């Protein structure tokens, strides 16, 4: 019996054969891996696995506890739903990227040390960026590059934080950061907040998700931000800053959603808003609050994927994504409308839908913690959520002005995936027990009280009244909204201008000087040098060599080997010596 | 069945029924809010029946108009070719 199968391994290694499988087998294989992963997660026993030493540091590949199991459970379920939704795709690349993405997310969830966490963290960034690149076209590729650059920058910040934190604390093990938060921990927090899309680090999300492929966006909506919520819950529970950041982002998302015209960008802003509840929950840090954040992440993954699947189905069928160009689809796509609306009721926290039993836990936690302002702000964001995802988006996408679009229901696998998510959204809402049992702490929270139901319905239905009365004010406009990506999009342009104008001119001037003055001078000097070398140095060396050679030849010729010649030479020498002697010494 | 439900919400022919049903539901919610037991209340507003209806409506209106104000007067909304 194998003690422990790392679910991340199933996905990462399982992705390898996908391109080589024949199409008929591939579909079955694509479903098999997530199913196996679900079983692997169900079989997990809490404990530490894969402890090792690396560069003298303790490494822990997998640390399994209740918090990691609940995230891994929803991740594997979501992987199955996302795979069903993408089953009709023929190109293998997106399936491979999606599997590596899911595997990396699971790797982060189980990571017991910062090094393992960091490696999977980067894996997620690259695999998910492929899902945007795969869409093709100038806009998508631009967005994908921005997405990748932002995440790589965030990764570097995280790595820097990990190194500083490890130096300060002497350990790479990943766990709650206690005591005073040092520079390292702040950098780690910044890296995490970037992936959680906390403003002002949120624009990568709303920039990239609407540009991703129809099926890719479904995966993206589920994993990156929720792994970030997980690591925040693991390392920074009870950090006061997070309460306020979370509350602000819950409202930030709904404000932008009013302005949005692109259906998936509107939904992306609602990810920002919903993740705000989770970040605030982590920040409050009480047992109820962390339970609320965790269960809300669980429910959010399913209903947000359902909403993205619904919007994706419309884009897949009509090829349009702007609300100003959509409308009247309810006649031809009733099933999509119904399934989308289940997601919309779930995100809006209607009784008997999943959001009701999870979101209210965060709001109640804020109340118990005596944070009236947070509670009121989060309730206002709930109103905004229903206003946009439950009323504005479906109204302009499916109802409203009939644009006479040719439409039909999407392929069967898409509908099945949506039905799976919708079933879970309702099941969690009606029977919250099994989800509550999964949560990290004991749950003593009863969502279904009379006052809670009438209160929620009051907020939601009177939001609907506001929508009906001020419908015209909400009409989508053919615009885009400026978010914090302005800084790097315009900043990059300024940088490019600087590189192309002043810097390039300076470079040209330098190269002109070198071409007109410096280079000829250098050439001339080199030529003179060459001439001196050939005609001076070489000539002397060659002359000496020749002289020695010739002298040697002469000497060689003198060596005749005949004794009489030598005798004669000796006599001549003797005579010469005497002559010299006579002259010199006289 | 799903189609007929979706049609009920989309088709102009049912507009009158829809409106009546909608206002009936609103009235029922407010009435229910007055009669439900409130054994655990922490904040003042939780004691007021109908508070959530008022707060929901005000939230909705605020969100619409503050956002649109920021979009138009605050310069957040730009032409689609702004980044091109």
């Amino acid at each position: 019996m194998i003690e422990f199968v790392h679910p991340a391994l199933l996905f990462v290694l399982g992705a390898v054969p996908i391109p080589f499988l024949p199409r008929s087998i591939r579909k079955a294989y694509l479903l098999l891996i997530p199913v196996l992963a679900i079983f692997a997660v169900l079989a997990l026993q809490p404990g530490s696995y894969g402890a090792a030493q690396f560069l003298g540091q303790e490494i822990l590949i997998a640390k399994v506890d209740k918090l990691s199991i609940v995230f891994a459970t929803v991740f594997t379920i979501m992987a199955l739903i996302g795979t069903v939704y993408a089953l009709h795709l023929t190109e293998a690349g997106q399936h491979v990227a999606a599997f590596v993405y899911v595997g990396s997310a699971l790797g982060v969830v189980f990571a017991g040390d910062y090094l393992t966490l960091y490696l999977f963290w980067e894996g997620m960034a690259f695999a998910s960026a492929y899902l945007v690149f795969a869409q093709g076209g100038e806009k998508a590729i631009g967005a994908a590059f921005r997405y990748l650059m932002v995440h790589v920058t965030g990764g570097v910040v995280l790595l820097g934080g990990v190194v500083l934190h490890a130096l300060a604390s002497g350990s790479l093990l990943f766990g709650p950061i206690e005591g005073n938060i040092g520079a390292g921990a702040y950098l780690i927090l910044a890296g995490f907040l970037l992936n959680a899309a906390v403003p002002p680090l949120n624009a990568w999300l709303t920039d990239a998700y609407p540009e991703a492929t129809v099926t890719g966006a479904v995966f993206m909506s589920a994993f990156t931000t929720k792994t970030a919520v997980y690591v925040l819950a693991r390392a920074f529970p009870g950090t006061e800053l997070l309460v306020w950041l979370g509350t602000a982002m819950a409202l930030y998302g709904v404000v932008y959603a009013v302005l949005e015209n692109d259906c998936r960008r509107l939904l992306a802003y609602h990810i920002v808003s919903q993740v705000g509840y989770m970040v605030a929950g982590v920040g409050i840090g009480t047992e109820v609050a962390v339970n609320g954040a965790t269960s809300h992440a669980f429910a959010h993954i399913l209903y947000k994927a359902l909403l993205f699947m619904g919007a994706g189905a419309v884009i897949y069928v009509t090829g349009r994504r702007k609300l100003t160009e959509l409308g009247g689809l309810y006649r031809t796509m009733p099933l999509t409308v119904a399934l989308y609306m289940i997601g919309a009721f779930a995100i809006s926290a209607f009784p008997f839908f999943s959001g009701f039993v999870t979101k209210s836990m965060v709001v109640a936690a804020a109340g118990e913690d005596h944070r009236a302002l947070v509670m009121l702000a989060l309730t206002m964001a709930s109103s905004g959520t229903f206003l946009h995802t439950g009323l504005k988006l479906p109204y302009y996408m499916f109802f409203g002005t009939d644009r006479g679009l040719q439409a039909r229901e999407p392929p069967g696998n898409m509908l099945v995936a949506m039905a799976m998510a919708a079933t879970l959204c309702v099941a969690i809402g009606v029977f919250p027990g099994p989800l509550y049992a999964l949560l990290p702490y004991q749950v003593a929270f009863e969502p279904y009280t009379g006052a809670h139901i009438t209160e929620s319905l009051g907020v939601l239905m009177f939001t609907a009244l506001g929508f009906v009365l001020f419908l015209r004010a909400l009409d989508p406009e053919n615009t885009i909204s400026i978010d914090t990506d302005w800084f790097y999009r315009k900043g990059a342009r300024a940088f490019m201008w600087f590189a192309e104008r002043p810097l390039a001119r300076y470079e040209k001037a330098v190269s002109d000087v070198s071409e007109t003055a410096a280079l000829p001078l250098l050439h001339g000097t080199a030529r003179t040098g060459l001439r001196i070398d050939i005609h001076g140095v070489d000539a002397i060396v060659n002359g000496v060599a020749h002289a020695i050679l010739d002298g040697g030849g002469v000497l060689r010729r003198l060596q005749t080997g005949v004794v009489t010649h030598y005798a004669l030479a000796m006599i001549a020498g003797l005579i010469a010596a005497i002559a010299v002697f006579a002259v010199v010494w006289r | 069945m799903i189609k007929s439900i979706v049609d009920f919400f989309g088709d102009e022919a049912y507009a009158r029924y829809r409106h009546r049903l909608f206002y009936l539901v609103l009235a029922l919610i407010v009435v229910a809010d007055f009669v439900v037991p409130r054994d655990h209340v922490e904040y003042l507003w939780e004691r007021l029946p109908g508070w959530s209806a008022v707060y929901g409506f005000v939230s909705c209106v605020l969100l619409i108009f503050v956002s649109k104000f920021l979009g138009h007067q605050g310069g957040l909304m730009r032409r689609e070719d702004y980044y091109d």
Side-chain angles (χ1 to χ4, degrees), chain A residues 434-585:
Chain A
L435 171 60
Y436 285 177
L438 270 177
L439 296 180
Y441 302 104
Q442 189 79 34
V443 177
F445 176 71
E446 175 48 64
Y448 288 106
T449 63
H452 185 203
I453 291 175
T454 55
E455 196 184 287
S456 305
L457 284 176
V459 169
L460 294 172
M461 290 314 287
F462 279 83
T463 298
L465 178 66
F467 173 78
V468 171
L469 294 181
F470 299 105
L471 184 58
R472 291 279 80 84
L474 265 179
D475 274 351
E477 297 169 67
N478 225 348
T479 54
I480 56 167
S481 315
I482 294 181
D483 202 336
T484 47
D485 54 343
W486 184 89
F487 291 99
Y488 52 79
R489 294 179 78 158
K490 288 287 180 186
R493 198 153 296 179
F495 177 79
M496 288 310 289
W497 177 86
F498 180 73
E500 279 164 8
R501 294 293 170 79
L503 205 62
R505 278 189 192 156
Y506 170 74
E507 192 263 340
K508 190 173 179 310
V510 170
S511 75
D512 281 351
V513 167
S514 85
E515 268 173 31
T516 51
L519 268 183
L521 187 72
L522 281 177
H523 279 301
T525 321
R527 263 197 297 276
T528 317
L530 190 67
R531 221 170 285 137
I532 292 171
D533 194 29
I534 291 172
H535 298 293
V537 179
D538 278 10
I540 292 169
V541 172
N542 289 349
V544 171
H546 277 295
I548 289 170
L549 213 60
D550 292 349
V554 172
L555 280 176
R556 190 166 48 80
R557 239 171 280 132
L558 287 177
Q559 314 283 316
T560 56
V562 180
V563 177
T564 46
H565 288 176
Y566 291 152
L568 205 61
M570 284 168 77
I571 293 165
L574 205 62
I575 292 167
I578 292 167
V580 169
F581 194 75
V583 173
V584 174
W585 292 97

Side-chain angles (χ1 to χ4, degrees), chain B residues 27-48:
Chain B
L28 280 178
I29 288 169
V30 176
V31 171
D33 208 27
F34 275 86
V35 295
V36 287
R38 288 167 209 279
D39 33 293
H40 177 76
V41 286
E42 196 161 347
Y43 300 99
L44 174 68
W45 62 79
E46 287 178 317
R47 277 178 230 279
L48 303 170

